[in-house]
Amino acid sequence: MRVPLSKPEINERDISMVADVLRSGLLSLGPRVAEFEQSFAAYVGTRQAVAVSSGTAALHLCIRAQGIGANDEVITSSFSFVASANCALYEGALPVFVDIDPVSLNISPDCVRTFIEQFCEWDSAGTFLIDRRNGRRVKALLPVHVFGLPCDMTPLQNLAEEYRLHLIEDACEALGAQYRGRGVGTYGSMGTFAFYPNKQMTTGEGGMVVTDSDELAALCRSLRNQGRNEESCWLTHDRLGFNYRLSDLHCALGISQLQRIDDMLSARARVADAYKRRLATESRIVLPHSPIGCRRSWFVYVIQIKPVDSCSPQPLRDAVVMELRKRGIGSQVYFPAIHRQAYMKQFEFVVPQPLPVTEAASDACLAIPMYAEASEEEVEFVCHSISQALDSASATLSSLTNSAAVA
Ligand SMILES: *Cc1c(COP(=O)(O)O)cnc(C)c1O
């Protein structure tokens, strides 16, 4: 049996909706774009949605639209996909990584506050928070709803208000998740979603900016379309823009997928429940947190390998990945911490304080197969294999340590 890490759910309706666009001849800047945007905004609960070519493009446009650039900083977490930090770097701004909460694995509001209190002060006019280490303006707070679990938005909103920070939500992994009864993406001034094939819904490639601000939405529509103004003619460019458009082919697939998003999310939740039941007795791992009071949207199912004798679980985790691969089961380290990526070494000031929780999580975490159509048999096979992989991986590792001790 081969079990992939993820698999898009594509049905005949999706295919015929895309085929209809092909037959229409209107492949880009056609009617499907606004239709997708309107149904998406209605689903998430914002006034506006702007379709773009990827989740990364959506994040980049948020940074640009909020006027964040050189000499600015954005507070975020390192336990994330690189795009949530890169979007600041694209504009010459610096991501500043603060630690995460050990239970939710999301940015810790307490760590945000500690960073601000230890390293920041108001400028003389009292308008901007300044990072004392380098004189940069701290302009935004960018929480990531990691693996579809909502961040603790109330304290984050309070911090954003108190310190006049733009609040930009990276909800790329969290479509359909709710915090205190309201959808994620509606808490910040702007939010982003993504539609790569491993996400809860897909357009092949694609992303969305959501906001309640008509002005920010209009600016993003111009920026994604080479800085054109919606009313002006084709070769008039009001500002420096990008080609971040999403084609009507992609949007048609998005419309069709969004129509059954709740079914797809429930199917993923059933897979998560099946994992929870079967893995409950496996004492060597920690299961994903299921908090009360918010609705999680399952992006990936991430377990953590417990440390043995207070040693880092990383060698064991990596050996489990190899064992699972031998059995045809896809798994992935989600996430290697961003600040440990080779290319991040060139940026100074990004890690103001040690990040012990982030580093421990990135040494322990392992994403196992998660997709709407995963069967009971597949889940059973994966869970059984995890226990066997842990057995044989710990046996191999302990024989290695023993022979090292003898030598
Ligand atoms: C998927 C994802 C994105 C966007 O990725 P794209 O591949 O550019 O669509 C951004 N942030 C996070 C946390 C993600 O998981």
Side-chain angles (χ1 to χ4, degrees), residues 111-157:
C111 293
V112 175
R113 186 170 287 283
T114 310
F115 164 70
I116 293 174
E117 286 175 355
Q118 284 195 2
F119 294 97
C120 303
E121 63 195 17
W122 289 104
D123 65 358
S124 51
T127 12
F128 287 112
L129 203 60
I130 304 292
D131 183 338
R132 243 186 276 113
R133 299 173 303 157
N134 52 25
R136 284 172 175 260
R137 290 171 302 194
V138 184
K139 281 254 192 92
L141 181 54
L142 196 156
V144 183
H145 305 292
V146 172
F147 310 145
L149 183 68
C151 291
D152 195 2
M153 291 312 293
T154 304
L156 293 173
Q157 276 187 310

Side-chain angles (χ1 to χ4, degrees), residues 53-59 79-84 144-147 170-173 192-196 198-199 205-207 299 334-335:
S53 52
S54 69
T56 307
L59 284 162
F79 192 70
S80 175
F81 181 59
V82 286
S84 56
V144 183
H145 305 292
V146 172
F147 310 145
D170 181 342
C172 288
E173 302 190 349
T192 62
F193 291 90
F195 312 123
Y196 186 73
N198 66 348
K199 301 276 153 101
E205 293 281 359
F299 166 50
Y334 256 96
F335 290 107

